């Protein structure tokens, strides 16, 4: 059995990467890895669904035990991806999608060179500000800080394999889906299995 593909999705806060990922999973056979974080839940977020919420002490223990595929300190809170659930799914032939920031994405790429990195862009900085303001949970200072961080992240897109602008959600989802389809059509890792199959049929 071929291993699953690992897709990493990043983008600035407010670019809509979470919405893109959730809609994507309605159309492709893949699972979304649930990240672990030390930040407090936002209204409507469910433990084990949106995030695994934990203490800083438990998070640091997981780092020390090498139980995380990647981790980063973002805006004063830890975020990370538990390693075991991801590796188990991949070995079982299931595609896994990670929705993580740029720090984590590059850590994953180092550990998993075959990972496919995708960056979700907002249509403009003005629209990004508008989306963040609509949350109603950020001060003007925090919004300015997030926009500054967004520019720093956007400067890293050359290190990603694909870049998708999320202006119209359906179009963005379709483009990300096309990346997944294309990656499965590559000969690459699956070439030996294809050759074996056709030899056995002769």
């Amino acid at each position: 059995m071929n291993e699953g593909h690992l897709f990493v999705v990043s983008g600035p806060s407010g670019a809509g990467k979470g919405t893109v990922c959730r809609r994507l999973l309605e159309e492709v056979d893949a699972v979304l890895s649930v990240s672990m974080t030390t930040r407090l839940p936002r209204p409507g977020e469910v433990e084990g669904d949106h995030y695994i919420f934990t203490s800083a002490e438990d998070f640091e223990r997981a780092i020390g035990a090498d139980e995380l595929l990647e981790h980063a300190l973002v805006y004063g809170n830890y975020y990370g991806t538990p390693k075991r659930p991801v590796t188990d799914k991949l070995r079982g032939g299931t595609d896994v999608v990670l929705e993580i920031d740029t720090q984590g994405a590059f850590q994953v790429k180092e550990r998993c060179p075959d990972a496919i990195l995708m960056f979700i862009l907002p249509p403009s900085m003005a629209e990004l500000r508008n989306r963040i303001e609509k949350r109603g949970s950020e001060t003007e200072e925090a919004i300015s800080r997030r926009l500054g961080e967004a520019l720093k992240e956007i400067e890293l897109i050359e290190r990603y394999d694909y870049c998708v602008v999320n202006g119209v959600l359906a179009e963005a989802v379709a483009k990300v889906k096309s990346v997944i389809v294309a990656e499965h059509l590559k000969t690459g890792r699956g070439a030996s299995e294809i050759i074996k199959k056709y030899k056995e049929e002769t």
Side-chain angles (χ1 to χ4, degrees):
M1 177 186 290
N2 290 329
E3 287 195 357
H5 288 57
L6 180 57
F7 296 95
V8 179
V9 179
S10 304
S13 175
K17 57 187 179 295
T19 304
V20 169
C21 286
R22 287 191 294 275
R23 186 70 63 84
L24 174 72
L25 294 181
E26 296 174 2
E27 302 185 20
V28 298
D29 186 15
V31 296
L32 181 67
S33 173
V34 180
S35 296
M36 186 162 65
T37 183
T38 58
R39 77 159 170 77
L40 295 175
R42 291 173 180 158
E45 288 184 330
V46 178
E47 166 71 25
D49 184 4
H50 297 90
Y51 284 98
I52 299 168
F53 297 99
T54 190
S55 66
E57 292 77 15
D58 283 346
F59 197 103
E60 289 169 355
R61 182 202 60 76
I63 294 174
D66 194 30
E67 295 176 355
L68 301 175
L69 189 59
E70 56 80 27
H71 67 275
L73 187 63
V74 183
Y75 302 126
N77 291 299
Y78 281 119
Y79 292 81
T81 302
K83 186 196 307 182
R84 184 68 180 273
V86 173
T87 56
D88 285 352
K89 289 292 185 183
L90 292 174
R91 287 170 185 157
T94 300
D95 287 349
V96 179
V97 177
L98 302 185
E99 181 201 331
I100 54 179
D101 74 348
T102 53
Q103 294 180 60
F106 300 144
Q107 288 179 46
V108 170
K109 192 68 173 179
E110 286 183 10
R111 287 195 170 203
C112 309
D114 288 333
I116 298 101
L117 273 54
M118 292 186 274
F119 197 92
I120 306 298
L121 283 165
S124 67
M125 291 303 291
E127 175 59 21
L128 183 63
R129 168 180 277 276
N130 182 51
R131 292 177 184 179
I132 296 172
E133 287 177 343
K134 281 184 177 179
R135 291 176 178 173
S137 61
E138 307 280 356
T139 63
E140 181 58 36
E141 181 181 354
I143 291 172
S144 295
R145 183 180 66 182
R146 286 192 182 276
L147 291 174
E149 289 297 322
L151 283 175
K152 292 179 183 178
E153 291 176 297
I154 290 169
E155 289 175 351
L156 299 172
I157 63 171
E158 289 182 344
R159 297 178 64 181
Y160 280 72
D161 300 302
Y162 299 92
C163 175
V164 174
V165 175
N166 181 23
V168 178
L169 178 60
E171 293 178 2
V173 172
K175 288 177 181 178
V176 174
K177 181 180 177 181
S178 71
V179 169
I180 293 176
V181 172
E183 287 295 328
H184 276 280
L185 293 176
K186 281 184 176 180
T187 51
R189 289 180 290 170
S192 60
E193 290 294 324
I194 294 170
I195 295 168
K196 179 181 177 183
K197 173 182 179 295
Y198 279 86
K199 281 185 174 180
E200 289 174 347
E201 292 176 353
T202 57

